[in-house]
Every structure is written in C-alpha cells, then in structure tokens.
Amino acid sequence: MSISPMSINRSATRIVLRRAAAVTALTAAGVLAAAGAASAHVTVHPESYEKGATDGVLTFRVPNEEDSASTTKVQVYLPTDHPVLGVMVHPQDGWTPKVTTTKLKTPVKTDDGTITEAVSAITWTGGKIGAGQYEDFDVAFGQLPESGDQLVFKTLQTYSDGNVARWIEAPTGGDEPENPAPVLKLTAGTAGDDASAAPATEKKSTAAAATDASDSTARGLGIAGLVVGVLGLAAAGFAIVRSRATRS
C-alpha cells in the first residue's frame, strides 16, 4: 500500500504543531510559576526607612500560598539587638494579637529616658487567610534604631493543616534565599532632613506602589512566556512551509 505525499505532510504538520504547543505550554507555566513563587513570601512595607525615623507604620503583608489550607497564625519576631521602640499593634478584624516583650541586653537612651524593654514578638491568631488571599498587619513604632543597615523580621506562618512556613532567612548579598524573612532597609538621612516618618497615608501609598511593582513584574514575566510561545509557533509554521516547499 502506497502512502501519498499529502498524508506524510499532514502527519509531519501534526507532530510539529504538537511539539510547539507543548513547548509553549511548558514555557508559560514555568514563567508564571516563577512569578508566583517570587511573590508568595511575607514582606514588609515600605521596604526602607531612614535610621532613627519616628512615629511611623510598618505593614507586614502575609499571602496564603496553599491551595487546600488557610493561614491561621502569624508570628513576627522583632530584632532586639537593634530594637524597635514604642511598638503598637493596629486592631485587625478577626485577629487577636499577643505582644511579647523582652529585657534588652543593652538599654537604649532616648530623650524621654532610658528604655530597658522592647517588643520582641507579635503573634496574631483567631483569623483566617484563605487560598489566593492575603492580609496586611499594621504595626506602629515610636522610633527605629539609629544604627545598622537593615532590620530582619523573622516570621512563622502556620496553616490549618499544621504546616508551618518559616520565613527566617536573611539576605546574604547574592540571590534571594529560599525562605526569605521580611527585611526593612535602614538608610542614612541627608543633612537637614527630618528623621521623622512620613504620614501613614503616604506609607500606604508606598506599600501600594511596592505591590504594583511586584504585580507588574509578574505580568511582565507572564507576557514574556507568551511571547516565547508565539515565537515557538511561528518557528513551527516556518518549518512546515519549508518542509512542503522541499517536497514540492
């Protein structure tokens, strides 16, 4: 039984298209997965403050990265070697905060006197963050440390199935660690600048801008994956046309 050139061409076309479609799907899936993983950990907003800033707000954003479990407990640990002074927790609907204080090894002298204790941990329980959702936890402070380059807030995120995500790894100057802790950069103020923190509304805008930037990055990665897929299909089409031209 003879096989016509037309049948061969059809078979070759189907094989090329299937391979191109598979490459496109895998590329897009890989890019989107990488974008999701990059934004799934706990972060602090804004990303930086001036050293010694006063009367500001830190927002800890906690996304739920599990599909079949809810976040039911969040524990944020504050550094005590460079303590954050005057910490107050904003009321959060459905959540009950517990503030833990500790005695400082090195008391801090301020204009209002010497501080010997500071908040070392804040634990929120009673609420729930479902799949595909996040929660913002606001913490006000009286004063940030005047020394150091950054503050690392190690965080534990407990799920309803008992799993605990440990966001406790500090950056080391290279690639982002696998389980990064929220990090606040401390910047040096310029001469004549007021070290006071910006108004809370401005801080919310800063946090929103950071979130938008993260979303834009994820969208960019997604578009890049689709572009690669389109190029793959174009290459497949070119190969088909070339194959037919050769046979004719």
Side-chain angles (χ1 to χ4, degrees):
M1 181 179 63
S2 62
I3 301 176
S4 66
M6 183 68 69
S7 299
I8 295 175
N9 286 340
R10 288 201 192 99
S11 298
T13 299
R14 285 196 294 269
I15 292 173
V16 172
L17 288 177
R18 281 201 298 269
R19 289 178 179 175
V23 170
T24 301
L26 289 173
T27 302
V31 171
L32 293 176
S39 60
H41 59 84
V42 179
T43 52
V44 61
H45 304 277
E47 295 180 350
S48 65
Y49 257 114
E50 286 187 8
K51 297 178 181 180
T54 59
D55 301 327
V57 175
L58 298 175
T59 299
F60 293 93
R61 175 156 296 179
V62 183
N64 190 90
E65 60 175 2
E66 296 286 347
D67 295 330
S68 59
S70 301
T71 297
T72 57
K73 183 179 181 181
V74 177
Q75 298 166 273
V76 176
Y77 293 89
L78 285 67
T80 55
D81 54 347
H82 292 84
V84 179
L85 305 180
V87 170
M88 293 187 295
V89 181
H90 188 276
Q92 193 82 6
D93 290 344
W95 295 88
T96 301
K98 177 184 177 182
V99 177
T100 302
T101 60
T102 188
K103 188 175 291 294
L104 298 176
K105 293 182 179 180
T106 303
V108 179
K109 294 182 179 180
T110 69
D111 294 339
D112 299 322
T114 301
I115 306 299
T116 59
E117 289 188 348
V119 173
S120 58
I122 305 172
T123 302
W124 287 272
T125 56
K128 182 175 69 172
I129 307 173
Q133 299 177 345
Y134 73 90
E135 190 85 51
D136 282 345
F137 297 89
D138 291 339
V139 176
F141 62 83
Q143 183 176 340
L144 294 178
E146 296 182 353
S147 61
D149 297 325
Q150 64 183 21
L151 296 178
V152 178
F153 299 95
K154 296 182 180 182
T155 302
L156 301 182
Q157 180 180 5
T158 302
Y159 288 91
S160 55
D161 59 5
N163 288 330
V164 179
R166 301 171 60 82
W167 309 111
I168 60 174
E169 297 179 16
T172 57
D175 295 335
E176 185 178 71
E178 183 177 354
N179 301 295
V183 174
L184 178 71
K185 296 178 182 178
L186 297 179
T187 62
T190 58
D193 282 352
D194 185 358
S196 298
T201 52
E202 183 176 334
K203 296 221 168 291
K204 287 293 185 181
S205 298
T206 304
T211 302
D212 291 341
S214 176
D215 291 343
S216 297
T217 300
R219 285 194 295 270
L221 290 171
I223 292 172
L226 293 177
V227 169
V228 172
V230 171
L231 291 176
L233 290 175
F238 177 77
I240 293 169
V241 172
R242 184 176 179 181
S243 175
R244 290 176 175 175
T246 301
R247 289 188 172 83
S248 61

